[in-house]
């Protein structure tokens, strides 16, 4: 299945290389060189995944990511020269699903794009059915979540984490188990990436539930879905 990938990157050499590798993998590629142009392309072309550089003219990648997330759950892979852990975690906090640091090998980025597409379920549906816990309901078929009768917009990564927790309610999952199930064994990132996604997911569910907490930290062990 052909996927459409939008690359928002201001360096033409980097864009050309990434386009070459993604096209070789069978993807249709659309490009933008500024933050505002990237937002326009995201709205007009409805890509299946976005590769987003953080250092962009017009509007930086953090702002672009935040605005895209307010409108869409499209998977986002950050492309950044910022190698500090806090910067990377901040990007994930804005709603990115994965990141690749510069300098990088184009083949590495292509592999991360393909892995993120697989995790998002856009190239392989997870199947139908519904899951529920308390006031949270989840539709696998529609990839939709409601909490307290309100729709909740999740990133693809947050959705997969919630599916995992809801399928085995009460079970404690370690960071390593979450990485293996949600990100895949080829994931090359910080353990704290899991914490960042859990924090964002928990915050999105608690807001319409008046602060009720369903996702709990089991210190020294991991995370579980439960009432207390």
């Amino acid at each position: 299945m052909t996927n459409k990938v939008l690359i928002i990157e201001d360096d033409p050499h980097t864009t050309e290389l990434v386009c070459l590798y993604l096209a070789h993998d069978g993807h249709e590629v659309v490009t933008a060189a500024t933050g505002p142009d990237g937002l326009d392309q995201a709205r007009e072309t409805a890509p299946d995944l976005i590769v987003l550089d953080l250092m962009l003219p017009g509007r930086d990648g953090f702002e672009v990511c935040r605005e895209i997330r307010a409108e869409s759950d499209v998977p986002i892979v950050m492309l950044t020269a910022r190698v500090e852990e806090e910067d990377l975690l901040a990007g994930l906090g804005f709603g990115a699903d994965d990141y690749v640091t510069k300098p990088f090998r184009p083949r590495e980025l292509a592999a991360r794009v393909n892995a993120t597409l697989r995790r998002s379920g856009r190239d392989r549906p997870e199947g139908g059915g519904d899951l529920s816990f308390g006031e949270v309901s989840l539709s696998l078929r529609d990839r939709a979540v409601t909490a307290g009768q309100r729709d909740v917009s999740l990133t693809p990564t947050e959705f997969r984490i919630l599916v995992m927790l809801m399928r085995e309610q009460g079970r404690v999952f370690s960071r390593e188990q979450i990485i293996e199930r949600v990100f895949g064994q080829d994931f090359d990132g910080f353990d704290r990436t899991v914490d960042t996604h859990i924090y964002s997911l928990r915050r999105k569910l608690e807001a319409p539930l008046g602060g009720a907490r369903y996702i709990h930290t089991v210190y020294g062990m991991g995370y579980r879905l439960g009432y207390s």
Side-chain angles (χ1 to χ4, degrees):
M1 178 179 178
T2 299
N3 292 286
K4 183 183 296 181
V5 179
L6 168 61
I7 302 170
I8 309 177
E9 163 64 61
D10 64 328
D11 178 58
H13 178 65
T14 299
T15 301
E16 183 179 1
L17 275 176
V18 174
C19 284
L20 180 66
Y21 276 80
L22 293 181
H24 181 269
D25 285 346
H27 302 302
E28 177 186 349
V29 183
V30 182
T31 65
T34 69
D37 188 29
L39 285 170
D40 290 341
Q41 290 281 14
R43 291 166 178 146
E44 293 172 9
T45 65
D48 296 292
L49 182 141
I50 296 173
V51 176
L52 175 64
D53 185 24
L54 288 186
M55 305 297 289
L56 291 168
R59 299 182 71 175
D60 69 27
F62 288 121
E63 293 181 40
V64 173
C65 185
R66 180 169 51 201
E67 190 154 340
I68 290 173
R69 270 293 162 261
E71 304 172 9
S72 170
D73 68 349
V74 60
I76 298 174
V77 177
M78 295 188 307
L79 190 58
T80 175
R82 301 181 179 185
V83 297
E84 294 298 322
E85 181 178 351
E86 293 304 321
D87 288 328
L88 298 173
L89 293 174
L92 295 173
F94 277 106
D97 293 277
D98 201 356
Y99 55 83
V100 174
T101 57
K102 296 180 179 180
F104 65 92
R105 298 187 304 275
R107 182 70 264 167
E108 173 196 2
L109 176 59
R112 298 289 274 273
V113 165
N114 292 330
T116 303
L117 282 167
R118 286 194 299 273
R119 293 197 300 268
S120 75
R122 293 180 178 231
D123 62 350
R124 186 176 59 187
E126 281 196 63
D130 298 316
L131 299 169
S132 65
F133 182 84
E135 294 185 69
V136 176
S137 298
L138 181 152
S139 169
L140 289 165
R141 182 190 59 223
D142 300 328
R143 302 186 67 81
V145 176
T146 59
Q149 306 303 314
R150 286 173 54 186
D151 293 337
V152 179
S153 178
L154 301 182
T155 70
T157 300
E158 292 164 357
F159 184 84
R160 288 179 66 85
I161 290 174
L162 184 58
V163 169
M164 180 194 69
L165 293 172
M166 293 185 74
R167 278 178 168 162
E168 299 187 57
Q169 299 169 13
R171 174 178 173 178
V172 178
F173 289 91
S174 67
R175 286 171 170 172
E176 292 75 16
Q177 289 170 324
I178 295 173
I179 288 173
E180 181 177 348
R181 289 204 181 189
V182 175
F183 297 89
Q185 294 180 340
D186 59 347
F187 177 72
D188 180 22
F190 301 112
D191 284 351
R192 285 183 61 198
T193 297
V194 173
D195 302 337
T196 302
H197 287 299
I198 290 285
Y199 171 80
S200 179
L201 173 59
R202 180 186 281 157
R203 176 174 51 83
K204 290 179 180 180
L205 294 179
E206 288 180 6
L209 296 175
R213 175 164 294 187
Y214 288 171
I215 299 176
H216 300 274
T217 302
V218 181
Y219 291 99
M221 297 179 66
Y223 299 97
R224 67 174 179 86
L225 188 70
Y227 291 108
S228 62

